[in-house]
Amino acid sequence: MKKPRPSDGNIIAHTTRNQRRQRRKEIKRDFGRKSIKGDTRIETTASVSSDRDGCNWTFVFDPSGRLCYWWSSVVSVAFLYNFWVIIYRYAFQEINANNIAIWFTLDYTADLLYILDIAFHFRSGYLEDGVLQTDPTKLRIHYMNTTMFYIDCLCLLPLDFLYLSLGFKSILRCFRLVKVYRFWSFLDRTERHTNYPNVIRTATLIHYLLALFHWNACLYFILVDRMEKVPKSWKFPTDEHGTLLQYLHALYWSVRTLTTIGDPPTPKSLPEYLFVIFELLFALLLFATVLGHIANIVTNVSAARKEFQGE
C-alpha cells in the first residue's frame, strides 16, 4: 500500500510553524529575549543576568543636577565655618576646658562633610565626548587622576594630632581652607542660574569685604599681642573686659584703616612702620577693586534695563 501524500495545506501549515519557531530562535539569539506562548513575557539580557547574579544597585550623581548643587552648598557652609573660625580662634580665644566640647563637635562635623564630599565625587558623573559617563570604575579613575582628589586629601591631613604635643593651635587646621574651590564653584553656579545675578554679586562683594575686615582684625591683634613695646594708641582693652570687646576693638581699627577713614595709629618702630605701610597699600588696592565691582554691577543693571526698554 502506498503511503498517503500530505495535502498542500498541511505542507504550508507545517512550513509556517517551522518558520515561526526559527524566527523565535533568531530573536532570542540576536536580542537576548524570549517569548512564552500563552503568556507573552519579554526579558532583556540585563534582567536575566541580574536575576542570575543578584541585583546590583548603582547610583551616579549628575554634576549639573539639583542634588549636586545643594550638596555643594552644604560643603560651602563647612568651608565658611573653617574660614571664619580658624583665624579668630588662633588670635583671640583658643580651645579650653570650657568650650572644648563645642569646638570639637563643630570641627569634626565639618571634617565629616569633607569626607562625605570625597565619597560624593567618586559617584559624580563626567562628560566624555559629550556623553555622561556612569561606569563606577571610570568615575573612580577619573576622579583620582584630577587635581581635586589631591586637594580633597590635603584638606583632611590629620594635623590635629599635633594638639597632643603643641597644645591647641587652631592654625594647624589651615589646610581645611584649600576647599575654597567648592565655595567658588557654588557661587559661580548660583550666579548663573538665579534670576537676580546682581543681587548675588552684591552679597558676595559684601561677604568678601567683611571677611577681609575680619582677617585683618585678627592679624592686627596677633601682631600687637606679640610686640614687646606696644604704643599707647595700639593698646587693647584688658582681658577683664572680655574677648568680645578686644575683637570689636581690632575690627574697628581694621575697618578704619582699610576704608581710609580717619588717621591710622602712628607707628614707632620698624615693624610698625612696615605693617602700617602694607595696610595703606592694601587699602588702596581694595578701594579700587570694590569700586570696579560696583561699577560693573551698575553697568549690568543699566544694560538689562536698556535691553528691556528697547524690546
Side-chain angles (χ1 to χ4, degrees):
M1 297 178 60
K2 293 184 179 181
K3 191 174 182 180
R5 294 176 57 187
S7 62
D8 294 339
N10 292 335
I11 294 175
I12 295 174
H14 182 71
T15 304
T16 304
R17 284 197 298 269
N18 289 338
Q19 290 177 351
R20 288 199 299 267
R21 191 179 297 111
Q22 185 65 24
R23 184 58 180 167
R24 292 195 197 100
K25 291 181 181 180
E26 292 176 358
I27 292 174
K28 183 179 179 180
R29 183 181 66 252
D30 296 340
F31 300 99
R33 300 184 179 184
K34 59 184 180 179
S35 176
I36 299 178
K37 187 178 181 180
D39 182 15
T40 304
R41 183 180 62 186
I42 298 177
E43 298 180 357
T44 61
T45 305
S47 63
V48 174
S49 62
S50 64
D51 293 338
R52 182 174 60 253
D53 301 334
C55 186
N56 298 322
W57 292 95
T58 59
F59 53 92
V60 175
F61 302 110
D62 183 4
S64 60
R66 190 177 297 272
L67 181 61
C68 283
Y69 171 75
W70 290 114
W71 173 250
S72 64
S73 67
V74 174
V75 179
S76 298
V77 171
F79 163 76
L80 288 176
Y81 164 77
N82 289 314
F83 181 73
W84 283 81
V85 168
I86 287 176
I87 187 65
Y88 168 80
R89 209 164 61 190
Y90 178 70
F92 291 94
Q93 186 179 14
E94 278 291 358
I95 300 174
N96 53 49
N98 297 326
N99 55 29
I100 185 171
I102 298 175
W103 285 128
F104 273 23
T105 300
L106 295 174
D107 285 352
Y108 297 121
T109 299
D111 291 349
L112 177 61
L113 293 176
Y114 280 12
I115 295 174
L116 294 178
D117 189 49
I118 294 179
F120 193 89
H121 274 114
F122 274 117
R123 285 295 180 177
S124 295
Y126 69 96
L127 294 177
E128 183 178 1
D129 297 330
V131 179
L132 181 65
Q133 294 295 328
T134 58
D135 182 68
T137 303
K138 288 185 177 181
L139 296 182
R140 183 179 68 254
I141 295 174
H142 174 76
Y143 174 55
M144 295 182 68
N145 289 331
T146 58
T147 308
M148 290 188 300
F149 174 73
Y150 298 100
I151 292 177
D152 293 340
C153 293
L154 182 65
C155 288
L156 294 172
L157 285 178
L159 298 180
D160 294 14
F161 287 109
L162 295 178
Y163 285 168
L164 300 175
S165 58
L166 300 179
F168 294 119
K169 302 293 183 181
S170 297
I171 201 66
L172 295 173
R173 294 177 53 86
C174 63
F175 285 109
R176 304 300 193 271
L177 302 182
V178 298
K179 201 74 171 180
V180 65
Y181 79 92
R182 289 289 275 169
F183 177 63
W184 287 340
S185 176
F186 168 72
L187 289 180
D188 180 67
R189 188 169 176 183
T190 301
E191 183 178 332
R192 285 188 288 108
H193 289 82
T194 185
N195 294 327
Y196 306 97
N198 293 316
V199 176
I200 300 299
R201 294 190 189 111
T202 304
T204 303
L205 178 62
I206 294 174
H207 171 260
Y208 283 152
L209 286 176
L210 294 178
L212 286 174
F213 294 153
H214 171 75
W215 272 72
N216 191 58
C218 294
L219 294 175
Y220 169 63
F221 181 83
I222 292 172
L223 177 67
V224 174
D225 188 53
R226 285 157 177 73
M227 290 173 58
E228 296 181 357
K229 296 181 180 180
V230 182
K232 185 176 181 180
S233 58
W234 289 46
K235 287 184 178 180
F236 279 82
T238 59
D239 294 338
E240 299 177 357
H241 297 86
T243 306
L244 178 60
L245 188 60
Q246 292 181 336
Y247 172 73
L248 293 177
H249 179 83
L251 186 63
Y252 166 75
W253 187 93
S254 175
V255 173
R256 188 180 65 174
T257 303
L258 294 183
T259 55
T260 63
I261 298 176
D263 296 329
T266 304
K268 300 294 184 181
S269 61
L270 178 61
E272 297 171 13
Y273 272 107
L274 294 177
F275 182 72
V276 172
I277 291 173
F278 171 78
E279 289 284 313
L280 294 177
L281 292 176
F282 184 76
L284 180 62
L285 178 63
L286 179 63
F287 177 77
T289 304
V290 171
L291 188 62
H293 276 281
I294 294 177
N296 187 24
I297 292 173
V298 173
T299 302
N300 290 333
V301 172
S302 301
R305 184 180 302 169
K306 289 179 180 179
E307 183 179 357
F308 175 76
Q309 291 176 352
E311 294 178 355

